[in-house]
Amino acid sequence: MQETSGTALLDELIDGVHTGDNLVLQGDQAAPVRLLVDRFVAAAEGRMPLVLVNVAATWTGPVPAGAQVLDWSAVGSGTPSELEGALGPEATLEDALVTLEAADAAVGGGAAFVFDPLSSVPAAWGPDAALELFLSACPRLYRRRSLAVWPVRTDRHRPTFLRRLEEVTQVVVELADDAGRLHVTVRKADGRRPEVTGRSVHAEVIDGDLRPVDAPVTTRQRLGQAIRDQRLVRGLSQTEVARRVGISASALSQVERGVRGPSGDTLVRLWEVLDVPFGPRGGAERGYEVSRRSGRERVRLQEGLEGERVVAATGQAGTWLLEVAPGASGNRAPFAVKAPETVVILRGVLDLQLGGRTETFHEGDAVQVTSAAVTGWANPGPDPTEVSWTVHPR
């Protein structure tokens, strides 16, 4: 399942929020980290169970509709909170973790958790408490397929603490000053393509939102830039390329500027017109075989697991397009073969039992199975998972 952070710029930088993500948003006092947190809360309200962990100061004001507040502030301030279930001034960190686990159990998986800045935790339970809280909660929420946002003040923690957080969490985004401008950088992004880590953009706050001030950063913008570069290399005008592709010059301009993305047919025609290799290209001496969707049969492989073979070979060998129903699982491999297999997650999340351990794969991940045995599979998310599964001929 792919969610949203509530901030389009952040979603674009990290290729969307994935099921189970713990997002560490780090910056100094001047960075608009609180803005990103507030937008995440607004996006989660009414869409999923929401738990707000309050530590820095006594909770004031109404509780968002459908949300639960864990108010731990009395431990640091000494002022009891009036919220139901709030911790008292003498509560220990262990007491706090018990309330967090209870809230997690009550809302179930697929919830959203928002924590106060970790710099507020040492005032309540000592210098090691912030890391202890994170190391306890982060893996648990990941296993439960919940989303969590962790704001972190970089000027309040040692580099060793920040490195430890980065080792454990799934996503780290840093907001830092760069010669007077806000610089947003992806420091870590598990479950995404390798090039996502390291993405950065200058941004500014406009009308309560974080907007980029330089480009390209989005997938559409990078694709548009690539199309424009190829057109200019060949000395072609927008009008000429648009005429050959069969679209208007205005539409091509929007594609090149990243305002809109091209359809699949338009993209293929663009690559043909620009003479850019697209997909397998065989010589005249090589044949090819086309597998049309209309000619394929969808079969039920196991309960909750359906597929269609898009490239056929002997037996069950070939490439299959599989769909795994939400919450479905099986205790045997999709295919009863003793051959190497390649699995690519096209959409969603998939757990595989491999060699006696569970591996979790997200959209864009791939695994080459050689000598290990696939002994089970599961879709832990609330949406269907799409998988390309290739059984290689022996």
Side-chain angles (χ1 to χ4, degrees):
M1 176 182 182
Q2 190 166 10
E3 294 288 346
T4 176
S5 67
T7 302
L9 172 60
L10 182 57
D11 288 346
E12 292 284 0
L13 280 176
I14 65 175
D15 272 6
V17 178
H18 294 182
T19 299
D21 275 345
N22 283 261
L23 283 77
V24 171
L25 305 177
Q26 60 184 37
D28 60 20
Q29 184 177 7
V33 172
R34 186 69 235 179
L35 170 66
L36 300 186
V37 174
D38 290 343
R39 293 184 66 86
F40 179 88
V41 171
E45 281 187 75
R47 297 178 59 247
M48 57 203 310
L50 179 61
V51 179
L52 307 175
V53 181
N54 183 63
V55 186
T58 304
W59 182 273
T60 58
V63 175
Q68 178 181 356
V69 175
L70 303 183
D71 196 342
W72 301 345
S73 61
V75 180
S77 68
T79 303
S81 170
E82 296 182 357
L83 287 181
E84 182 179 355
L87 293 182
E90 304 302 322
T92 64
L93 179 59
E94 289 71 23
D95 296 329
L97 294 177
V98 168
T99 66
L100 181 60
E101 292 175 4
D104 176 34
V107 298
F113 285 73
V114 179
F115 291 80
D116 260 0
L118 285 173
S119 56
S120 61
V121 175
W125 293 294
D128 298 327
L131 184 58
E132 186 175 347
L133 169 62
F134 187 83
L135 294 180
S136 174
C138 176
R140 177 186 177 91
L141 297 178
Y142 173 77
R143 291 192 299 269
R144 299 278 283 176
R145 305 298 188 263
S146 289
L147 303 177
V149 168
W150 301 82
V152 175
R153 285 276 302 275
T154 52
D155 53 333
R156 296 284 186 88
H157 298 282
R158 295 179 178 178
T160 52
F161 173 87
L162 300 175
R163 284 197 297 270
R164 187 70 179 112
L165 262 59
E166 184 171 324
E167 291 170 356
V168 177
T169 194
Q170 288 77 51
V171 180
V172 178
V173 176
E174 181 184 58
L175 292 83
D177 178 77
D178 180 19
R181 295 197 299 171
L182 177 63
H183 195 222
V184 185
T185 304
V186 181
R187 295 298 181 195
K188 183 179 181 182
D190 277 356
R192 280 82 167 170
R193 294 166 295 161
E195 61 266 27
V196 175
T197 299
R199 278 184 186 170
S200 63
V201 63
H202 286 105
E204 59 184 346
V205 178
I206 302 176
D207 296 330
D209 194 6
L210 197 62
R211 307 283 180 83
V213 294
D214 55 8
V217 296
T218 70
T219 301
R220 287 198 306 269
Q221 289 171 327
R222 292 194 299 274
L223 176 60
Q225 185 66 49
I227 292 170
R228 180 178 183 274
D229 290 345
Q230 292 297 324
R231 178 176 62 78
L232 294 177
V233 165
R234 286 154 181 78
L236 297 172
S237 68
Q238 282 187 340
T239 301
E240 176 62 16
V241 171
R243 183 188 65 79
R244 295 186 193 181
V245 172
I247 60 176
S248 68
S250 174
L252 178 57
S253 175
Q254 289 182 324
V255 168
E256 291 189 352
R257 289 183 288 116
V259 175
R260 58 181 290 186
S263 68
D265 289 343
T266 298
L267 181 59
V268 171
R269 286 288 299 136
L270 278 166
W271 292 150
E272 290 174 346
V273 169
L274 297 172
D275 194 28
V276 175
F278 180 78
R281 296 172 64 113
E285 74 284 356
R286 296 176 56 189
Y288 61 89
E289 182 177 346
V290 177
S291 174
R292 303 290 185 189
R293 174 177 293 183
S294 59
R296 298 199 295 261
E297 180 183 2
R298 191 177 181 89
V299 297
R300 181 175 176 274
L301 299 171
Q302 296 180 33
E303 182 68 31
L305 178 64
E306 295 185 349
E308 52 188 56
R309 185 154 56 169
V310 297
V311 177
T314 59
Q316 290 185 317
T319 298
W320 294 73
L321 185 62
L322 306 183
E323 182 173 296
V324 189
S329 62
N331 57 8
R332 67 181 191 278
F335 306 104
V337 296
K338 293 183 179 179
E341 298 169 274
T342 301
V343 183
V344 181
I345 312 304
L346 304 179
R347 181 167 63 92
V349 61
L350 183 70
D351 286 345
L352 287 180
Q353 293 288 335
L354 291 165
R357 60 181 295 175
T358 300
E359 294 280 0
T360 299
F361 300 97
H362 297 273
E363 181 176 316
D365 289 348
V367 57
Q368 177 79 39
V369 183
T370 52
S371 59
V374 178
T375 57
W377 52 269
N379 175 5
D383 293 320
T385 294
E386 291 183 2
V387 180
S388 172
W389 196 300
T390 300
V391 179
H392 300 282
R394 280 290 190 182

